[in-house]
Amino acid sequence: MQELHIYNSLTNKKELFTPIQKGYVGMYVCGPTVYSNVHLGNVRTFMSFDLVFRYLQFLGFKVRYVRNITDAGHLTDDQSEDKISTKARLEKVEPMEIVQRYTVDFHETLAEFNFLPPSIEPTATGHIVEQIEAIKTILDAGLAYEINGSVYFDVLKYNENEHYGILSKRKLEETIENTRDLDGQSDKKNPQDFALWKKAEPEHIQRWPSPWGIGFPGWHLECTVMSTKYLGEQFDIHGGGMDLKFPHHECEIAQAQACNHIAPVRFWMHGNMLTLNGKKMAKSTGNNILPSQLLTGDSPFLSKAYHADVVRFFMLQAHYRSILDFSDEAILSAEKGYQRLMSAVVELEKLRAGSSSDFDVSEWRNLCFEAMNDDFNSPILIAHLFDAVRVINGIKDGKLSLLAEDLEMLKTTMNSFIIEVLGLRVKEQQGDFSDKIKATVQMLIEIREEARANKDWALSDKVRDDLAAVGIQLKDGKDGTTFSLN
């Protein structure tokens, strides 16, 4: 078996992946802050790590995948109140109503796109005690200070022996220059210090008792606490969006080093952003689209609705570290490719072995593994799958042949990479195709045959052309008319 290499954001290079414990992988991914509907950029990030999770399991690793739910402590820009409390105040409901509503939305959305659930999905509110204990440890180490009921991490003190900026490659003076003048800033010794615990003002809804008074945890602390609790003081992979590298992940490293005196993560992985029509997605500018709108087509950016698997296929056509631009034109093109792939998989089950092999299936299979072993390169994998599509169509048309063992390897490999690794629901699509589309298309073929018998060539051509426009190709032969997906 070829060796897996992963691009490590900590070193900015691809490295041979060897887990800390042979046969086991611990992976933590920063989950959503559940104060609004999950957006399409989130879906792309989580899909990238769903791919990683699937492939590691496909290789035979036993993976513990931890993805948290932030249901407290995510501060807004003015650092006076976290996002969930702000939303609850606006809607005049309990914060946990907001949390419940959008956690359900998050799970339902990811299920639509066929995500595997994580092994553990801990919440920030479920780990308040552990966060308080971590703060005590950091205070005892002399790397934090309490003032006016809040506790802050002392970045300058930490930087005397460690490197704050090791992940983002930022110098400490740059972090000072880039620090905004935020609420509570006057309490800090230094502007770049970050909150471990914030004093709750009387109007703050989410609040817990602590040795420093009533308050709530800082946003960064929960991920340090939950990742190390469930994966150990040092674990294999930590993932998230590129936007979390600084300050969130940088702060995670500092907190973990202060608590456990060891680098918490061996491989840091960061997914890149999703743009819409060449511009950053943002609710404020209206350049935004929700995952649910893709499935209904209810958006001015879309010409039609798309199946969730088409969206998944579209996203996996780009490498997780590259920017992906979403547009209606791009996903229309992806839909055609997806249909070609699904059609070939359906045809593959019908093929019969020949007397010779005109295609080296073993070499092709190795190329599929080689693509995924090169930092989970799904677009290259998909390109190899389409090499197989051409072979399948060649066998179907009588132009190519495969021996029985090669044909079986082709079937097994195609199904394994498409279903298990890429997470596309071939069987479901095959069922939909057989049960719904086949009967409809057959009826149209009969109408066309009747039109041809009556020499109504205009109607005959219209049926053929209209079907072709939606990706269904009619083929006239001596045994009648058949059809396939383009």
Side-chain angles (χ1 to χ4, degrees), residues 157-370:
K157 184 70 173 177
Y158 171 80
N159 212 52
E160 289 176 4
N161 297 305
E162 301 292 346
H163 180 193
Y164 184 77
I166 191 171
L167 177 65
S168 60
K169 308 301 183 283
R170 298 189 185 202
K171 295 179 180 179
L172 190 58
E173 53 269 24
E174 292 174 354
T175 68
I176 296 173
E177 291 171 2
N178 294 331
T179 302
R180 298 184 302 272
D181 184 17
L182 304 178
D183 177 73
Q185 195 84 334
S186 60
D187 288 344
K188 299 179 182 181
K189 288 182 180 179
N190 309 292
Q192 73 275 28
D193 294 347
F194 56 89
L196 299 174
W197 187 264
K198 286 285 288 182
K199 177 184 177 181
E201 299 302 326
E203 66 274 10
H204 193 91
I205 307 174
Q206 288 186 292
R207 51 205 294 127
W208 291 267
S210 80
W212 317 285
I214 302 298
F216 56 99
W219 171 37
H220 311 304
L221 189 61
E222 63 174 281
C223 288
T224 296
V225 165
M226 292 188 283
S227 62
T228 55
K229 175 175 179 175
Y230 296 110
L231 299 174
E233 293 181 357
Q234 187 178 61
F235 54 95
D236 298 297
I237 298 171
H238 192 314
M242 198 80 75
D243 57 318
L244 296 180
K245 185 183 290 188
F246 185 88
H248 185 56
H249 291 161
E250 200 73 73
C251 294
E252 279 192 59
I253 293 173
Q255 292 165 158
Q257 285 276 173
C259 286
N260 304 316
H261 312 292
I262 187 173
V265 180
R266 295 183 65 237
F267 285 82
W268 284 91
M269 297 180 65
H270 291 93
N272 215 325
M273 66 187 296
L274 181 71
T275 57
L276 177 59
N277 294 320
K279 299 177 182 178
K280 182 179 179 180
M281 283 197 185
K283 291 181 182 178
S284 58
T285 62
N287 196 56
N288 185 57
I289 186 168
L290 292 173
S292 59
Q293 292 176 306
L294 283 171
L295 308 182
T296 63
D298 184 22
S299 168
F301 297 110
L302 299 173
S303 61
K304 53 173 284 191
Y306 295 95
H307 192 281
D309 278 23
V310 171
V311 179
R312 186 178 180 99
F313 178 75
F314 165 73
M315 289 189 176
L316 293 175
Q317 281 185 308
H319 191 266
Y320 77 91
R321 286 192 289 113
S322 65
I323 294 174
L324 173 61
D325 186 51
F326 180 93
S327 68
D328 189 60
E329 181 181 349
I331 198 167
L332 272 170
S333 176
E335 184 178 54
K336 293 177 181 178
Y338 170 80
Q339 290 171 344
R340 281 181 57 217
L341 185 62
M342 293 300 104
S343 178
V345 173
V346 172
E347 289 298 327
L348 180 57
E349 296 301 318
K350 304 174 186 176
L351 298 182
R352 296 291 178 265
S355 57
S356 63
S357 282
D358 299 319
F359 179 69
D360 191 333
V361 179
S362 181
E363 181 182 348
W364 166 80
R365 180 177 181 273
N366 285 337
L367 289 173
C368 291
F369 276 103
E370 187 177 293

Side-chain angles (χ1 to χ4, degrees), residues 4 17 19 21-29 49-66 116-120 230-231 236-237 376:
L4 173 62
F17 177 73
Q21 184 179 356
K22 187 177 180 180
Y24 293 82
V25 176
M27 180 171 76
Y28 185 90
V29 173
F49 292 103
D50 184 66
L51 177 71
V52 172
F53 183 32
R54 285 174 176 274
Y55 188 61
L56 290 171
Q57 291 188 122
F58 181 65
L59 292 179
F61 290 109
K62 184 175 177 60
V63 185
R64 177 176 288 178
Y65 175 20
V66 183
L116 296 177
S119 315
I120 302 173
Y230 296 110
L231 299 174
D236 298 297
I237 298 171
F376 310 99

Side-chain angles (χ1 to χ4, degrees), residues 416-428:
S416 294
F417 277 101
I418 291 171
I419 299 170
E420 295 179 53
V421 176
L422 295 180
L424 300 173
R425 291 166 284 199
V426 173
K427 298 302 180 185
E428 178 182 313

